[in-house]
Amino acid sequence: MLHGFALSLTLSHGRGDWVSVARTVFVLPLPVYSEAVLAKCAGCFLGFQAACTLMILGAGCLGCVQSYRWFNRGILGEPMLWTLHLGYAASSLGMVVLAVSFAAPSLQSLGVHLLAVGGIGLLTVSMMVRTALGHTARPLYPAPAGMGTAFWLMVAATAVRALAAIMAFVNATAYTHSIRLSASLFAASLLLYFWRYRPWLTQPRLDGKAG
């Protein structure tokens, strides 16, 4: 409509210069078209983001429900079991917090690190402890000496990193120290695993089979 009006105005003034007409028809509307396209793209992006947020929220809530249903007091005496349960629960809670951070961006860091440190970190070290025992033909239970400490170090790293996400809004110095402490605990957990498992992983299986 806008470029049609401009074209009529150009012709009514007797300007038969088709270059001017082309400039009016095709160049003048570009800002209008650009704004419309950008608005459409922004709307699509926000819709996609909202859909992803709902899916993350649903997955996180489902995980929390499953964590509650699967819990049994008997796992508390088995480090290689409660770590899996706790890691799964941390992952689920992290997804819930991430979904909420869509409306409250200040919670994003907390959600990311509940998922990354509490979920991935704890699940990783727990699974490595168990699977490496099987691949080296060693008994799966009990957990090797020192691995209980490695698990608790990872749990502590999760708690301190979650605290750091809060300290970011309280005290900059405390935030920095919390991050460093969490990283140190995380590294100590994996180093303890390396120290305990390196001899086993660099030697043949106990049963002589291929690893």
Side-chain angles (χ1 to χ4, degrees), residues 79-90:
M80 287 192 287
L81 286 179
W82 68 256
T83 49
L84 295 176
H85 282 258
L86 185 57
Y88 186 85

Side-chain angles (χ1 to χ4, degrees), residues 96-111:
V96 171
V97 176
L98 274 179
V100 174
S101 72
F102 177 73
S106 60
L107 294 175
Q108 185 178 38
S109 178
L110 177 60

Side-chain angles (χ1 to χ4, degrees), residues 11-203:
L11 295 177
S12 67
H13 280 74
R15 295 175 60 187
D17 183 359
W18 287 102
V19 175
S20 299
V21 172
R23 184 183 298 113
T24 302
V25 173
F26 296 107
V27 178
L28 178 60
L30 283 179
V32 179
Y33 292 153
S34 299
E35 290 177 6
V37 170
L38 288 174
K40 186 69 174 179
C41 291
C44 291
F45 175 75
L46 290 175
F48 176 75
Q49 190 177 29
C52 290
T53 298
L54 290 176
M55 287 189 287
I56 293 173
L57 179 61
C61 290
L62 180 61
C64 289
V65 172
Q66 290 292 72
S67 295
Y68 174 77
R69 294 181 61 201
W70 290 337
F71 178 74
N72 185 299
R73 290 183 181 276
I75 69 172
L76 298 179
E78 296 290 347
M80 287 192 287
L81 286 179
W82 68 256
T83 49
L84 295 176
H85 282 258
L86 185 57
Y88 186 85
S91 298
S92 302
L93 182 59
M95 286 191 287
V96 171
V97 176
L98 274 179
V100 174
S101 72
F102 177 73
S106 60
L107 294 175
Q108 185 178 38
S109 178
L110 177 60
V112 167
H113 291 96
L114 281 174
L115 183 60
V117 183
I120 297 175
L122 188 55
L123 287 172
T124 297
V125 70
S126 179
M127 287 301 300
M128 288 195 305
V129 167
R130 187 184 188 283
T131 56
L133 289 174
H135 285 297
T136 57
R138 287 174 168 79
L140 299 182
Y141 294 101
M147 290 302 95
T149 302
F151 294 151
W152 280 112
L153 286 171
M154 191 63 72
V155 172
T158 303
V160 174
R161 191 59 186 83
L163 177 64
I166 299 173
M167 288 296 102
F169 303 97
V170 178
N171 185 284
T173 302
Y175 170 71
T176 301
H177 290 324
S178 297
I179 288 180
R180 291 174 178 172
L181 177 58
S182 177
S184 299
L185 292 169
F186 191 100
S189 174
L190 296 179
L191 284 172
L192 189 55
Y193 170 87
F194 175 78
W195 170 79
R196 191 71 181 85
Y197 275 74
R198 186 197 61 79
W200 298 347
L201 295 175
T202 56
Q203 297 174 6

